[in-house]
Amino acid sequence: MYTRMDAIDWLRQTCARGREFRVHLAEPFLAGGNSCATDGHSLAFVMGQVDGVVARSNAPRIGNFTARLKRGTKVDLGRLRALVGAPQPHTEQACVKCDGTGRVPCARCGGTGQRDFRCDVCGDGHACRCPSCEGGKAACAECSRRGKGAVDPCGKRFVGIGDATFDAQKIAEILTGFGDTAMVQVGAPFDPIYIDDRERRGIVMPVANQ
């Protein structure tokens, strides 16, 4: 018997991490009064507002992906769990680009904190404070100034479901948000896989060229 992961933990688990990290996908968000999270490959959806989820101006647009699949082929939930296995854990380590500081030398001024500008009035060059950084240091784009990042589980594993191929880890993580009563469906060839228990919905996109 499977127990659903707590809603906020499930949403946060679906946010972008590791190599997929992007600022606008790093936290759950509200969409149409409901709570969502995505890493760009899978999407977790919970009816209503979950505690800890707020509206964000930089939230991605998810369109009609949260709509229920009207026509699709049913997939046995137990067989799907056995096929993808348990999700592998993510670990965190210091960002290798900034050595865990969250800041890197500014590319505009070479880390000096100053830039030379040519005066339009006198024609002479003047050294001024670089407007792109603080003291020669700029935010690390690799970790978005966090100084650390999740490390993806080693070795991706792919599974074929219907006419499409999926990342087993993505499906396994989405399945942690569901108990034993969820319905699993796949649509047309190469469409996402949908997992739904009427309070929550999980969607995983297929992968290409595997």
Side-chain angles (χ1 to χ4, degrees):
M1 184 173 182
Y2 289 87
T3 302
R4 298 193 311 180
M5 179 182 285
D6 183 69
I8 187 62
D9 293 333
W10 182 56
L11 290 168
R12 287 172 176 162
Q13 175 183 256
T14 311
C15 293
R17 296 173 289 175
R19 297 183 185 92
E20 298 168 345
F21 181 80
R22 283 169 280 176
V23 173
H24 68 296
L25 303 181
E27 294 290 339
F29 56 93
L30 285 180
N34 299 307
S35 304
C36 301
T38 182
D39 60 5
H41 302 279
S42 54
L43 184 144
F45 172 90
V46 180
M47 295 289 289
Q49 184 172 2
V50 175
D51 287 343
V53 179
V54 297
R56 295 193 289 108
S57 60
N58 66 340
R61 296 181 180 180
I62 57 177
N64 294 324
F65 276 110
T66 58
R68 285 193 174 91
L69 191 64
K70 294 181 179 179
R71 293 182 180 180
T73 302
K74 290 185 178 180
V75 177
D76 183 80
L77 178 60
R79 290 184 180 180
L80 180 62
R81 289 191 192 275
L83 179 65
V84 301
Q88 299 301 305
H90 291 255
T91 58
E92 284 202 325
Q93 67 178 20
C95 175
V96 296
K97 187 172 183 179
C98 65
D99 293 325
T101 64
R103 305 180 73 195
V104 294
C106 175
R108 294 290 183 88
C109 66
T112 64
Q114 292 186 330
R115 292 173 64 183
D116 292 329
F117 292 90
R118 179 71 59 182
C119 179
D120 293 334
V121 178
C122 67
D124 292 336
H126 300 278
C128 301
R129 185 177 66 85
C130 177
S132 303
C133 68
E134 296 177 2
K137 295 291 185 179
C140 176
E142 186 73 18
C143 66
S144 295
R145 202 180 281 185
R146 295 174 65 239
K148 58 183 179 180
V151 179
D152 296 331
C154 295
K156 285 186 177 293
R157 187 169 64 86
F158 301 99
V159 294
I161 302 172
D163 294 315
T165 302
F166 295 87
D167 184 334
Q169 174 75 10
K170 298 291 185 187
I171 295 179
E173 290 178 350
I174 285 293
L175 284 173
T176 61
F178 298 91
D180 297 317
T181 60
M183 180 175 65
V184 183
Q185 287 182 293
V186 290
F190 312 112
D191 276 358
I193 187 168
Y194 290 77
I195 307 165
D196 189 347
D197 68 0
R198 297 197 175 277
E199 292 181 1
R200 300 181 181 184
R201 193 165 305 121
I203 301 168
V204 180
M205 299 294 294
V207 296
N209 301 323
Q210 297 298 332

